[in-house]
Amino acid sequence: MALALPEHGFRLRRRAVAQLIGEAAERYGLKVRQRARIRDLSMGERQQVEILKLLLSGARTMILDEPTSLLAPQEVDALATVLRELRDEGLALALITHKLADVRAMCDRVTVLRGGVVQMDGIDPSTLSDAKLVEAVVGRHLPQIRPRPRQLPVDPTPALEAVEIDVEAERGRLVLHGVSLTIERGEVVGVAGVSGSGQRELAEVALALRSIRSGSLQVLGFDMCDGRPDKALDAGAAGVSEDPLATDVVHGLTVTEHMALSRLEVPKRALGYDWRALERAVDALPEAHTLKIAEGRRLLSTLSGGNVQRVLLCRALARDPGLIVAAYPTRGLDLANVMATQEMLLRRARDGAGVLLMSEDLDELFLMSDRIVVLHGGRVVASVDPERTERHDVGSLMLGLAA
Amino acid sequence: MSSVRGAVPVRLTAGWEGLRGHPALARAAGWALFVVVALTVLFPAFDVNWQDCLIRTTPFVFCGLAVAVPARAGLVNIGGEGQFQFAMVVVTAVVLLLGDSLPAIVLLPMLVLAGLVGGAAWAGIAAALRVLVNLNEALCTLLLNFVAPLILAYFVFGPWRDASAFNLPVSKQFPDAARLPTYGLTQLHLGILFALVAAVVVWVMLDLTRWGFGARVVGGNPEAARRAGLPVNRIVFVALITGGALAGVGGMVEVTGIEGVLRPNIGVGFGYIGFLASWLVGHRPLDLLGSAFLLASISVAGDSLQINAGLPSTSVYVLMSVVLLVVLAFRGLATTRGTA
């Protein structure tokens, strides 16, 4: 049996520590099973243990970052009670959350940040309507929607067809529940959702980087249930990933060498590759010019984020893919490149590629998508037509309110 | 090496500035300089036999290559020692089975093959565990180092013990057909050439082939390799057993070139010194020829120092580790300054 707390002092004096914990738990109304192992506790119980740990270390100010994201509804209520008690004890609490319900249940004052800018500061949430809050979170100004003629699919095989897929993350937690999604050729489907709602997993599944637990998944007509990224690439899927520094940049490889890492046809020479020929081929790509990618001989790991992003975009588009999974494709780019990238993705869609677009920027989603699906807690909660929907409604859906 | 020798005088006259842009040439020039100084000044001064040095370099090169190949794929093979030992057992088995009936021209290639297979098989245990259950290959290869000598000991104390050897735990003497040819009256054997060829082959494999490129990607960022659709597990597996096979050839060369019998304590520590040699040069196979020669010189000089200066034999290991630590520390300094 392990103690749920870090021990104090030189020697581990179990009994004294246990007593201390018991007293503190009682004082703050926390229920902590002292003799249980942490891994056997539920998420809510673990959280109470963490809070108790902070209290015992003498904390008077606490910052809780998305404390409810992993909790069941009853546990959320329990947490709210505990936090109110702590407040009455005289502690200062800062709560970071993306759920309006949390704000209402737990907070005395609310501050809204959007894009690093304070939108409203220190206002009592009970004086605000949901509509006001949502507006502060997602912004008000309406983007100029470019009218784009909707075309019939060029090829009847959908670019992506997912039926009722469940996807497990590490330790068996479900991160996608029963998601069904079809992307026709020539269609841009945007995915909206607060971060951590399952977008990353959806993008990875579409490139067969994850295997699915149940349901069926086809990419460009090929079965992709078993998570074999090489098969997805061969079928004609390409992607720009969410965190290229972690998942795409190889230390010590040049820009040109990275181009070879996508099943792009690389000219061979003797036992190796003909890097010069590849460099020439890359230079000849229209995307390489539009995006002004870095010189082929430079090491990718030494380039800035925006430069890396441009190289990887160019690589994804170079193969003329049938399905483009673009996770935050314009992140880190300056305005000119953002527009060039959006233009290129739309042109690819017009030429018959299916595009799955993730973005934090609702403007971008509204501008580019033929359809927006909203993810919340790993489920598709809505699929809407951007031309007939207010961004405010999408915002409500993202935050888990019924539209 | 011949191109290196040609290049050195030209480059030296062009001055060090000329070498700046060509790190590979600069390193080659450095090693060539060291070899020349060693042969003309150091060896006579310390009474070291250059032939002994070359002979000792050979197993270090093989054991170093056994580290360099997996290292390219981001793997740590500390098991050169065990792969070397196990390969000697396999080679001896083939010698005892077929040694008397075959001519050297048939037998020796078979023994090389036996060494390759033996070393690869021993590394294959670690490689399979790594690929199937994601067991750390460094730990696994290291632990297998303690097992291989026990297998060797079982055979030489048991079934293979030569009855005519006065109760010593040795196998029968290998027949002449199972001995590597030597050059004239010297002790220099064909294995030295094998080591040279192996280093060049490994260099080609790692730096010029498509497989080598895949290994670099796996070593640089396994997730990126997976996303690029590369067969990561296959590359990991092949890299490890190739390393093992190279250590195995080292064992074959040692037992057929030098010893001519199987006994315990052949080449003890060679695997670890090869490990040092490879780290010393950042796992570059051609530079490894230089670092292996350096460590071999220290090791051989240590023998004569024991006799002439009365130094304890362990002083050799102290010197080797000091060399490695200094080199690694400076490399660490250079990289931290580079990023700062």
Side-chain angles (χ1 to χ4, degrees), chain A residues 67-331:
Chain A
T68 58
S69 56
L70 296 170
L71 300 187
Q74 319 80 281
E75 290 179 325
V76 174
D77 292 343
L79 179 70
T81 316
V82 168
L83 292 186
R84 271 194 298 273
E85 272 166 31
L86 292 180
R87 178 195 62 191
D88 298 340
E89 286 273 329
L91 272 78
L93 302 169
L95 187 72
I96 300 165
T97 184
H98 60 247
K99 290 186 188 150
L100 289 192
D102 290 356
V103 174
R104 294 230 176 272
M106 303 178 194
C107 303
D108 299 321
R109 285 189 294 123
V110 59
T111 296
V112 176
L113 286 168
R114 171 155 50 91
V117 179
V118 175
Q119 303 295 324
M120 55 169 59
D121 188 14
I123 297 171
D124 182 350
S126 58
T127 65
L128 287 169
S129 65
D130 275 1
K132 272 263 166 49
L133 266 172
V134 169
E135 192 182 295
V137 173
V138 297
R140 178 162 43 176
H141 96 270
L142 286 166
Q144 319 84 322
I145 295 163
R146 233 178 333 177
R148 204 157 64 76
R150 218 23 205 97
Q151 292 178 335
L152 284 174
V154 201
D155 187 328
T157 321
L160 178 84
E161 189 168 29
V163 183
E164 290 284 316
I165 55 171
D166 281 355
V167 173
E168 262 178 9
E170 299 69 34
R171 274 179 266 138
R173 197 164 55 87
L174 273 185
V175 282
L176 290 178
H177 305 257
V179 170
S180 295
L181 178 66
T182 305
I183 303 175
E184 300 292 346
R185 296 296 204 93
E187 191 183 27
V188 179
V189 174
V191 178
V194 291
S195 65
S197 301
Q199 299 98 314
R200 171 200 283 263
E201 289 76 14
L202 184 59
E204 290 182 353
V205 161
L207 291 169
L209 291 164
R210 271 173 192 273
S211 51
I212 59 179
R213 201 180 70 169
S214 62
S216 83
L217 176 70
Q218 292 204 321
V219 171
L220 299 156
F222 295 92
D223 184 78
M224 287 297 153
C225 292
D226 49 356
R228 287 267 309 276
D230 51 330
K231 275 166 64 182
L233 288 169
D234 288 341
V240 184
S241 66
E242 188 181 335
D243 184 5
L245 284 185
T247 58
D248 294 279
V249 176
V250 182
H251 189 78
L253 254 56
T254 64
V255 170
T256 306
E257 285 170 328
H258 275 88
M259 287 291 170
L261 291 180
S262 60
R263 301 243 152 170
L264 187 69
E265 201 59 44
V266 182
K268 290 176 178 146
R269 190 167 143 215
L271 294 166
Y273 294 113
D274 189 344
W275 295 116
R276 293 229 179 93
L278 178 62
E279 200 175 331
R280 280 196 301 273
V282 170
D283 277 345
L285 290 170
E287 287 82 12
H289 277 278
T290 323
L291 292 171
K292 292 186 203 63
I293 65 166
E295 232 179 291
R297 243 162 297 163
R298 301 203 33 202
L299 294 178
L300 191 61
S301 50
T302 61
L303 300 181
S304 71
N307 273 313
V308 169
Q309 185 78 358
R310 274 160 31 210
V311 169
L312 297 175
L313 264 169
C314 181
R315 179 175 84 181
L317 297 177
R319 291 173 59 241
D320 202 7
L323 170 67
I324 302 170
V325 180
Y328 314 98
T330 56
R331 189 183 267 179

Side-chain angles (χ1 to χ4, degrees), chain B residues 286-326:
Chain B
L286 292 183
D287 293 29
L288 180 66
L289 292 170
S291 66
F293 183 74
L294 170 70
L295 294 179
S297 310
I298 296 175
S299 155
V300 172
D303 295 345
S304 48
L305 282 179
Q306 270 178 67
I307 300 162
N308 300 339
L311 281 171
S313 61
T314 45
S315 54
V316 169
Y317 295 111
V318 174
L319 186 53
M320 283 184 191
S321 8
V322 168
V323 170
L324 183 77
L325 282 177
V326 168

